[in-house]
Amino acid sequence: MKRFFLFAAAAVCMVLAGCNGHREDTLFIAQVSEPVDTVVPVVEVPFREKLLTAADVTLTKDLLYDTYTLEDTYPYKDTVRSFKWDVIRNCLAYIENMQRDSVKWVVLQNYKNLNREAPLVRKFVRNAYRRVADTLGVERYQSVPLYLPGDTLVPERYGRDGTLAYLLGEEGGFSRILPITLEDEWLVPRRYLKLLADSTVFRHVIFVDRLDQNIATLERMDKGEWKIRSMNPATTGRHAPPYAQETPLGMYLLQQKKSRMVFLKDGSAATGGYAPYASRFTNGAYIHGVPVNVPRTAMIEYSWSLGTTPRSHMCVRNATSHAKFVFDWAPTERSLVVVIE
């Protein structure tokens, strides 16, 4: 099985070359020039099943959460922002196509280095935060080492926590995987992988647009048919070393939920407050409600900063009632979070 996925500079989801070996059997009449008394055999010829494209995906607004709802396009200061439905259709077509076969899913996991700090990659740099990263910008901290097949001594690069992958097989103490957002197969030590249930199906997808600072939730009803469940303002992570980081582009599994996610004050071990209804998708990045800073304890429903400019440490801030909607609506380990721009 070979699937290709591309997040371009604009994070546009699209399927690259290859039909992944999907096929259906059909009857094909061979067109040959033969005498009229010759019996023309019916030849069974397999052909590749057609992949869904963005044009095959229909989106219908059927909101389950209708507070603070944005229009498809809306003004922001001296410009216009929007929900990128064409990009979203491309992504949804890919998500449906990647689930057509019976596969074993795994997720890359190393939240707070709980599965051991990843070894140094062959070529590494110090990023703006003075932390080790591979040459593609993925940090060592909370990441998973990816080894080239045939070379399990030194990892080639890092894979982000929360990345979904196909499990292709086992080789010694390693698993062979194909991440859905990378083109190549990799070997990964088993301790960094979590096997998902065989019944796993992804019908809930959350799209975060870090350029236009909005969030949309969509739910699959049938083949190519998706309903839009909410369209809201959001605030993503900002680049502000050494503490705040951008929300990373990509596709991730919703892995964990906390009704209150406690956070620390920058540069301190002291509690800074909590974020309500937090749903974690990669590293320490959560979709959550408006942060509550100590000494306050009561939840805050809305903030003027939502939908403006990146202000978070990596997370995706929402109105607290929308964060609760996501928290209740999106099942853990069966929902995807796609960050675009």
Side-chain angles (χ1 to χ4, degrees):
M1 172 171 36
K2 189 78 170 178
R3 285 176 168 90
F4 300 97
F5 191 86
L6 174 66
F7 272 98
V12 176
C13 299
M14 60 188 296
V15 177
L16 300 181
C19 292
N20 310 320
H22 299 288
R23 58 184 59 188
E24 291 178 349
D25 293 334
T26 188
L27 295 182
F28 174 77
I29 305 299
Q31 301 296 316
V32 294
S33 178
E34 294 286 351
V36 293
D37 60 347
T38 301
V39 176
V40 179
V42 177
V43 181
E44 189 175 333
V45 180
F47 73 95
R48 294 184 184 276
E49 181 186 347
K50 180 179 178 292
L51 289 168
L52 283 183
T53 67
D56 300 316
V57 175
T58 60
L59 305 180
T60 305
K61 289 183 184 178
D62 188 1
L63 304 181
L64 296 179
Y65 176 90
D66 60 2
T67 307
Y68 316 115
T69 303
L70 298 170
E71 299 294 331
D72 292 339
T73 60
Y74 53 95
Y76 177 72
K77 293 187 175 180
D78 59 350
T79 186
V80 174
R81 288 181 169 178
S82 67
F83 288 88
K84 298 180 178 66
W85 298 125
D86 288 344
V87 174
I88 289 172
R89 285 189 181 91
N90 266 309
C91 290
L92 293 176
Y94 177 77
I95 288 167
E96 289 207 42
N97 289 332
M98 76 184 194
Q99 299 185 77
R100 295 191 308 175
D101 287 339
S102 295
V103 299
K104 287 191 176 297
W105 294 109
V106 291
V107 59
L108 278 60
Q109 288 192 331
N110 200 20
Y111 179 51
K112 294 185 177 179
N113 283 353
L114 289 178
N115 293 322
R116 194 180 303 174
E117 183 180 38
L120 285 173
V121 291
R122 193 177 311 279
K123 295 180 180 179
F124 64 88
V125 297
R126 294 275 180 183
N127 61 18
Y129 301 85
R130 303 305 302 160
R131 294 194 283 266
V132 170
D134 64 21
T135 55
L136 297 174
V138 181
E139 284 192 358
R140 179 189 194 186
Y141 178 58
Q142 302 190 96
S143 287
V144 170
L146 302 181
Y147 294 79
L148 292 169
D151 183 1
T152 56
L153 295 179
V154 181
E156 187 70 16
R157 59 176 296 184
Y158 296 123
R160 292 191 188 277
D161 170 84
T163 298
L164 191 67
Y166 305 106
L167 177 62
L168 303 181
E170 305 293 342
E171 298 184 15
F174 291 79
S175 296
R176 182 183 290 268
I177 66 166
L178 177 60
I180 60 171
T181 53
L182 301 179
E183 295 184 8
D184 299 315
E185 296 177 8
W186 300 89
L187 295 179
V188 175
R190 291 196 189 102
R191 63 177 170 270
Y192 295 106
L193 299 176
K194 180 175 181 179
L195 181 65
L196 302 185
D198 290 342
S199 59
T200 299
V201 179
F202 306 110
R203 296 192 179 98
H204 298 72
V205 185
I206 303 159
F207 286 90
V208 175
D209 187 334
R210 71 180 196 181
L211 177 64
D212 284 353
Q213 296 291 283
N214 59 46
I215 183 170
T217 60
L218 292 97
E219 185 172 355
R220 184 182 186 272
M221 299 291 105
D222 203 347
K223 182 178 180 180
E225 297 179 13
W226 293 76
K227 287 188 175 181
I228 301 167
R229 296 312 200 182
S230 65
M231 300 166 54
N232 285 82
T235 301
T236 62
R238 72 190 189 278
H239 180 82
Y243 302 114
Q245 294 179 272
E246 299 97 332
T247 307
L249 296 171
M251 183 185 293
Y252 306 100
L253 184 73
L254 196 158
Q255 303 180 71
Q256 181 184 19
K257 295 179 182 179
K258 297 179 180 179
S259 58
R260 294 190 177 199
M261 185 271 288
V262 176
F263 57 83
L264 304 179
K265 293 180 180 180
D266 285 347
S268 169
T271 298
Y274 73 91
Y277 303 114
S279 302
R280 190 176 70 83
F281 56 97
T282 183
N283 293 7
Y286 292 78
I287 295 170
H288 62 65
V290 178
V292 178
N293 296 315
V294 295
R296 184 184 177 115
T297 58
M299 290 187 187
I300 303 168
E301 166 59 8
Y302 198 81
S303 168
W304 64 268
S305 65
L306 294 173
T308 59
T309 58
R311 296 168 183 271
S312 174
H313 280 57
M314 183 188 278
C315 295
V316 182
R317 297 180 189 171
N318 289 243
T320 295
S321 59
H322 186 254
K324 184 179 187 305
F325 163 72
V326 172
F327 189 91
D328 294 337
W329 169 80
T332 306
E333 297 187 352
R334 284 174 170 79
S335 302
L336 299 175
V337 178
V338 184
V339 183
I340 64 175
E341 69 176 15

